[in-house]
Structures are given as structure tokens and as C-alpha cells.
Amino acid sequence: MTAMTAPLMSDAAAPATASTAAPRPIGRRGRILGWVLVIALLLGIAVLSMRFVATAPSLSGSLNPESPSPGGARALAELVRERGVEVQVARSRTAAAASVGAGTTLVMTDPYTLTDDAALDLIDSADRVVLLTSSSRMLRLLGLGEDAAVSGASAGPDCGIAEFARVGSIDAERLFTPAAGVSACFEDDSGAAAVLRSTEGGRTLTLVEGARLFSNEDLADQGNAALGLALLAQTDRVVWYVPSFDDSDITGEQPETLGSLTPEWVTPAIVLLLLSGLAAVWWRGRRFGPLVAESLPVTVRASETMHGRARLTAKAADAAHAGAAIREGTVRRLSRRLALSPRASAQEVADAASDRLRVPRGSLHDLLGGPPPASDHDLIDLGRKLAELETAVENAVHTERILP
């Protein structure tokens, strides 16, 4: 038997021995080089992402000349370029003021990020200024007029300005009441106008609320495009200033903080109290040593546990719980006495006891599995009946054993 099994074992082990060729481990230098390449790739991606985020212009805001969104003004800027006019987008008021000159139109929306002085300085730097959106603040600063109610009807030029003569009617979103010496175009029946123009001091200043007139979404409606070209395509060069919070000169006072309101000695005092608390914990804290096994000083008997639970049940006046405990004990003892499974249900025990006592099946179901007792009187009655049942079953089983 040994001689036969030895060749079999050698044959079975031969392929395993021949196939245990471990691959050549990768050297430490190769692993380091791989991690260096991965880190360099991640750093390159992060640098490129930060550069794109830092250099990408913001396309938010109303009438942005580089935004193709419905509220942007890229379509109007492209129409102006098609007329041979150079359009330069400036995102800094300093760059915009330096770029304007003779034959240049300064185009801007409401400079809400600039203070009054900064906005007036920027407007004073150009000889021709077009405000495409306005606010009550700009009307007050420039002295062009006041807000007026919008009638909702289309309005034509009806003014003596030649560049607006070929512009059709428009539906203005906002109308103004012109001030003295200010020309008004596109008036409604009440005399309110959509376009205001002032030529005082050798400077041409035009104001129109064009948030809806010159947006990409509404530029093709009625005479909106013609009005935009009449405003922006009159010079060889346009400097379009886009306001942003990065170019704002508005400064505010910093709110008072809890640190600035507290005295200087509060922080050192708090630190000293914390250090004192840590030192007290380290000094008086419990030193935990190894666990020590100790035997219990007393032994609790099962009868004492039973009597204690009985006293707690009696003190709580919980007849239902006590009745369930009595029934459980009776079912357990009867199943053992009747040679049933320890897991026999109350119904099975009741059927077996009925057969032994020769009483109809089902007569003991309510006794062993019925509703719980509602009062102490019912509990006492239940305990008496269960004791009688156990005694009857014990006598029946004992009688069967002594019979031949």
C-alpha cells in the first residue's frame, strides 16, 4: 500500500513544484518613481484647474458683452463689431478710464459696485458715455431726470436726434421724466421717455434701461437691435466696462467680534484655568492598574431570587404578569410529567392532560392559555385551579405506573 501511494504522491506534487515560479518583485526605486509620477500628475491637474478658475472671466451679471446666456449682451457686441467698431471689454475701472479717448464710447451698466465718486470719475473720463441700465442713484448723480410710470405701449423715436431717426418702435421696460435741458426720445402719451440724452459740458451722456431691450433673448424684437447700433456704433471704438465686486471701492466697517469686546486678560486667564484643570486631573486622577479577579462574597440561592421576584410582582400589583409566570411553570412541569417536549405549547400540554384525565379535549385550553387574570381574586382562583390540575395529572400518571 505504501509502495503504491508514494509514486502517486510524487506525481501529484511534481506540477506544483514546477509551477512555483514567483514573479520578480518590483524594486523600491520603481515604487518610489511610480508614486512620484502620480503626485506630479495630481499637482499638474490642480495647477491647471486653479489657473482656469483664476483666469476665466465671470459671465454673470446683466448685459455682459461676453455672456451667451439669455440675459447677456454678446449678440449686441457682435453686431457692433460687424459694423467695423472695435469693442474692448474692461473689468477694471482703472483700465477703462485709461482706454477711453477721442473717438471712443464708454459703455457701462449700472456701476453698483462703485461709490458715487468712483462712478462719476469714470464717467468724467470719457466724452461719450452710454448707460445701458440705470438706477435711481445714477439718475440723482447725473441729474438726468426721475422715474416715471410705464404705460406698456410701444413708442417711436419722435425726437430731433438724427441717429434715432431710422429706429423703429420699442417696448421699454422703464421710462423716465427728463430734467430741464435733457433731450428725451421714445416718449409715450404722458411725456415719459425711454432714452435720455444730455450734452452739457461737451460730453454726450445717454441713458436707457436696456436690460430687456438689448439682452440676447430680446434683441431681435421690434427696433431693439437698431437702437443698440444707434447707441454703440457711432464711434470707431467702444470700451465696455463690466462692474464686479473685485473692482469695488466700497469699504465698510468691520463688525465688533467677541474677541475685540473682551479685555486682554480674559484669554490668558482662560488658558491658565485650562492648564490648571489638566494638572489637577493628572495629579488626582485614578491610576488604572491591571484587572484583579475577585470571588463574590456571598452565594445567592435560587429560592431567594424567586421570592424576591414574587415580592416585586406583589408590590406592583401585576396580576397579569404573575398569572403568566404561574401558567408557564405549570406548563413546564406538566410537559415533563406527561413526557412531552420541553418546547411543547400550552395547547399541546392541555390536549395531553385531557387525554390522561379522560376529559373532553379543549376543556383545559382556557386554563393553561386563556386570558390573564384581571385582579388578585382571579389570580388566586387561577393558582388554585392550576394546582388541582397538577395534582390530578400526578395522580393519573402515578396510577398508570402501579397498574400491572
Side-chain angles (χ1 to χ4, degrees):
M1 186 69 176
T2 305
M4 293 177 64
T5 56
L8 294 176
M9 293 175 62
S10 61
D11 294 341
T17 303
S19 62
T20 56
R24 184 178 181 181
I26 301 176
R28 182 178 180 183
R29 182 179 301 176
R31 290 195 297 269
I32 294 176
L33 181 60
W35 280 110
V36 169
L37 292 177
V38 171
I39 294 174
L41 181 61
L42 293 177
L43 290 176
I45 294 175
V47 170
L48 290 176
S49 301
M50 293 177 62
R51 182 176 180 183
F52 286 141
V53 171
T55 58
S58 176
L59 299 182
S60 61
S62 177
L63 296 182
N64 192 318
E66 296 179 340
S67 174
S69 63
R74 184 174 180 179
L76 178 59
E78 294 299 328
L79 285 178
V80 175
R81 287 190 178 99
E82 291 178 0
R83 296 285 178 159
V85 179
E86 178 187 357
V87 178
Q88 177 186 349
V89 179
R91 298 183 178 275
S92 170
R93 66 181 186 278
T94 304
S99 300
V100 296
T104 304
T105 301
L106 175 62
V107 181
M108 57 191 299
T109 57
D110 178 23
Y112 59 93
T113 61
L114 302 180
T115 60
D116 295 348
D117 295 337
L120 291 177
D121 291 342
L122 180 58
I123 292 174
D124 292 339
S125 63
D127 295 334
R128 181 181 175 87
V129 181
V130 176
L131 283 170
L132 296 182
T133 60
S134 181
S135 63
S136 300
R137 183 187 71 144
M138 296 307 298
L139 287 174
R140 174 180 53 83
L141 288 178
L142 300 176
L144 297 177
E146 299 176 351
D147 287 320
V150 179
S151 61
S154 300
D158 297 334
C159 63
I161 301 177
E163 57 199 65
F164 297 148
R166 302 181 60 182
V167 177
S169 60
I170 61 172
D171 289 335
E173 186 179 15
R174 187 178 178 189
L175 298 179
F176 311 97
T177 301
V182 177
S183 302
C185 292
F186 300 93
E187 295 180 330
D188 62 357
D189 297 337
S190 62
V195 179
L196 301 180
R197 170 163 291 186
S198 173
T199 56
E200 294 181 359
R203 181 186 62 193
T204 302
L205 178 61
T206 307
L207 182 144
V208 59
E209 181 61 40
R212 189 175 63 86
L213 296 174
F214 305 134
S215 64
N216 296 328
E217 185 178 13
D218 302 311
L219 186 62
D221 296 345
Q222 296 185 347
N224 297 349
L227 177 60
L229 292 175
L231 291 172
L232 306 185
Q234 302 302 318
T235 56
D236 297 333
R237 192 162 177 267
V238 168
V239 176
W240 198 314
Y241 172 68
V242 180
S244 64
F245 288 103
D246 295 335
D247 189 46
S248 176
D249 65 330
I250 300 176
T251 58
E253 297 181 357
Q254 295 294 334
E256 296 290 343
T257 61
L258 181 61
S260 61
L261 294 176
T262 55
E264 296 181 356
W265 57 267
V266 173
T267 301
I270 293 175
V271 173
L272 181 60
L273 289 176
L274 290 177
L275 293 177
S276 302
L278 292 177
V281 170
W282 179 82
W283 173 46
R284 300 296 295 177
R286 179 184 294 273
R287 268 63 170 179
F288 292 101
L291 297 177
V292 178
E294 297 182 3
S295 59
L296 292 176
V298 294
T299 301
V300 180
R301 295 187 179 90
S303 60
E304 295 183 5
T305 304
M306 178 186 67
H307 287 300
R309 294 180 61 184
R311 292 191 189 97
L312 290 176
T313 304
K315 186 177 181 180
D318 191 357
H321 187 270
I326 296 174
R327 277 174 171 165
E328 181 181 357
T330 301
V331 169
R332 185 171 61 252
R333 289 189 294 271
L334 288 180
S335 62
R336 184 172 60 252
R337 178 61 63 185
L338 297 173
L340 298 177
S341 172
R343 299 180 179 179
S345 62
Q347 183 177 2
E348 294 174 350
V349 174
D351 292 340
S354 299
D355 294 341
R356 291 297 180 93
L357 298 177
R358 293 183 175 86
V359 297
R361 278 177 172 264
S363 59
L364 302 179
H365 286 178
D366 291 339
L367 182 60
L368 294 179
S375 61
D376 292 343
H377 177 74
D378 296 339
L379 177 63
I380 294 173
D381 186 47
L382 176 64
R384 179 180 56 78
K385 291 181 180 179
L386 291 175
E388 293 176 357
L389 176 61
E390 290 191 47
T391 302
V393 172
E394 178 68 23
N395 294 335
V397 172
H398 182 70
T399 303
E400 292 176 357
R401 287 180 179 178
I402 64 177
L403 290 177

